Amino acid sequence: MKPMETPVTLETLVALCKRRGFVYSSADIYGGINGIYEFGHLGTLMKKNIRQMWTSSLDNQLGQVVQMEGALLGPEAVWKASGHVAGFHDPMVDCKACKRRFRADEFDLSKGCPVCGKKDWTEIRAFNMMFKTQLGAMEDGSSVAYLRPETAQALFVNFKNVLTTARVKMPFGIAQIGKSFRNEITPKQFLFRMREFEQMEIEWFCKEEDAQNTFDFWIKHRLEFYKSIGVDMEKIRIRAHEKDELAHYSKNCSDVEYNFPFGWKELEGIAYRGNFDLTQHSTHSGKELAVFDDATRTSYIPHVVECSVGTDRLFLTLLFDAYREDEIEGEKRVILALSPAIAPITAAFMPLTNKLSAQAKLLYETFKKTGMSVDLDESGSIGKRYRRQDEIGTPFCITYDFDSENDHCVTVRNRDTTKQERIAIDGLSEYLKNALHTWKR
Ligand SMILES: [Zn+2]
């Protein structure tokens, strides 16, 4: 096995995702929509694993975490209070020559249009990135609604509901996984910047005097999460925002960045938001959002530390991070060396020939019932089946052959090392469990 030093490109991954059914462009048969994607079978399984690892990573000594699933559509009042109606803008400019539209802050306008080269620009205008719609048949101001541009507001708006019904005590966290929508002027880099995307977000509510420690805690904790899902930590760094990058209400903000082929980019944002959000919603709704502190007999509006990562962006990161090419016996092999906790399929069961189909199927069904994500792979030569499973990241291929009939063993082949071991069927479950837990990048 000889590793090949070919740096993976975005195009390589896009092609792999399409070929193997991880990701399709939206409404593909109609030509697709820019910045919107759909996830196929393997992509769906992998996203489910990412969500599950993220959710379980939130359990820690800091305190209780409860879950929420907010609505995608919200009334204008929410987005006025949050500042999005007035301020969620990107600067937009049009090329008068070729009619293309660009974000004015992404390149040097004086160098001319990136498409046609002309220097005939419109004025730079502010473009609100929220998708606006209306509810019901009334076309007046009261029916205006927006698809949420971020998941966080649902957690602030429901803070009091959660506090009074979920039996939580300060400090605590509310976690949410769900979709957000941003009308990006120039969506790009595949899943990196999309118009419809999923966020995994936790808002941690605490006292002001604990906020800085909490912020420091989450930075460390989030790094451990990336290590736990097998990301190359050489490609991860923390970048603290400069003062002029901070939102006016934000006291401190750091990005977890990943070294993509197109440079170091934000993967997750960790922000100390002060008590801006709850204060805004309290003012705009007229509802009391302070909590009472029994110890000091005073009320206060909690401060918030937020950790927010895009599921799709993490999905893309994990693919970049896991992609390898090597050569076995003169043949090129593509591997996704994903952590078994993330890989869409944990084990693929294979009969050596069609004559052993029934026995392999029985094994497959037994493991499926335990909740393990398994595949039954019967077509093509064993070598071809190995290549296919390597390319979708399956850590173990399990072959039932003619010897299995007598020795009640199967051959387990390891994706990363290509080594094969003869394992008793009786001990297979234990063997896999152990191998999954001891997996190292
Ligand atoms: Zn142009």
Side-chain angles (χ1 to χ4, degrees), residues 95-100 102 113-118 121:
C95 169
K96 287 184 190 165
C98 73
K99 311 286 180 215
R100 296 293 206 309
F102 302 97
C113 171
V115 176
C116 71
K118 301 253 169 59
W121 299 112

Side-chain angles (χ1 to χ4, degrees), residues 4 35 39-40 75 112 117 131 165 171 177 216 236 263 300 328 354 365 433:
M4 281 160 56
F39 289 80
F131 288 98
T165 61
I177 299 175
D216 297 340
I236 289 271
Y300 65 98
I328 304 174
N354 285 343
E365 274 165 0
K433 229 180 264 166

Side-chain angles (χ1 to χ4, degrees), residues 69-253:
E69 190 179 312
L72 304 186
L73 281 168
E76 189 164 44
V78 168
W79 307 108
K80 275 190 171 156
S82 69
H84 284 83
V85 171
F88 197 56
H89 294 112
D90 270 344
M92 170 176 77
V93 69
D94 292 315
C95 169
K96 287 184 190 165
C98 73
K99 311 286 180 215
R100 296 293 206 309
R101 181 161 283 177
F102 302 97
R103 250 176 77 172
D105 57 343
E106 286 191 331
F107 60 96
D108 183 0
L109 295 183
S110 69
K111 289 203 169 121
C113 171
V115 176
C116 71
K118 301 253 169 59
K119 286 183 203 169
D120 194 3
W121 299 112
T122 61
E123 291 291 301
I124 296 172
R125 291 150 295 154
F127 174 73
N128 194 299
M129 292 160 70
M130 284 196 293
F131 288 98
K132 192 177 186 178
T133 186
Q134 63 192 35
L135 306 174
M138 297 285 284
E139 281 192 44
D140 60 22
S142 67
S143 65
V144 171
Y146 293 91
L147 278 171
R148 62 182 183 187
E150 60 171 39
T151 50
Q153 297 306 322
L155 308 181
F156 300 131
V157 169
N158 284 285
F159 172 72
K160 209 63 191 247
N161 278 340
V162 172
L163 191 69
T164 53
T165 61
R167 305 182 68 208
V168 285
K169 280 208 178 80
M170 292 288 297
F172 69 96
I174 313 179
Q176 180 179 216
I177 299 175
K179 290 232 171 169
S180 290
F181 304 82
R182 293 181 189 176
N183 201 358
E184 297 283 354
I185 299 167
T186 47
K188 59 180 165 190
Q189 280 129 357
F190 192 36
L191 307 179
F192 185 81
R193 190 189 289 161
M194 298 154 77
R195 288 186 167 129
E196 174 181 331
F197 59 102
E198 187 178 285
Q199 288 182 291
M200 302 187 288
E201 196 162 66
I202 178 167
E203 306 293 331
W204 189 263
F205 299 91
C206 61
K207 286 184 179 173
E208 183 173 11
E209 56 262 41
D210 299 329
Q212 187 57 46
N213 279 343
T214 304
F215 179 77
D216 297 340
F217 170 89
W218 278 111
I219 289 184
K220 251 201 235 146
H221 197 75
R222 298 312 299 150
L223 287 177
E224 274 162 33
F225 166 70
Y226 291 108
K227 201 173 165 195
S228 78
I229 56 172
V231 177
D232 180 359
M233 296 309 280
E234 301 271 295
K235 289 189 169 173
I236 289 271
R237 73 176 184 194
I238 293 284
R239 190 182 69 82
H241 281 206
E242 305 288 339
K243 280 274 169 285
D244 61 352
E245 284 179 274
L246 292 176
H248 64 92
Y249 53 81
S250 180
K251 312 231 180 234
N252 222 335
C253 187

Side-chain angles (χ1 to χ4, degrees), residues 267-316:
L267 176 56
E268 173 160 359
I270 301 162
Y272 171 26
R273 300 173 68 109
N275 61 1
F276 173 79
D277 306 277
L278 290 180
T279 305
Q280 281 294 105
H281 285 301
S282 180
T283 309
H284 282 249
S285 66
K287 299 289 187 312
E288 181 62 71
L289 295 179
V291 299
F292 187 73
D293 184 7
D294 286 328
T296 61
R297 316 296 298 164
T298 53
S299 289
Y300 65 98
I301 294 192
H303 280 233
V304 169
V305 175
E306 167 186 282
C307 305
S308 176
V309 54
T311 315
D312 316 282
R313 192 174 285 191
L314 179 52
F315 182 101
L316 180 66

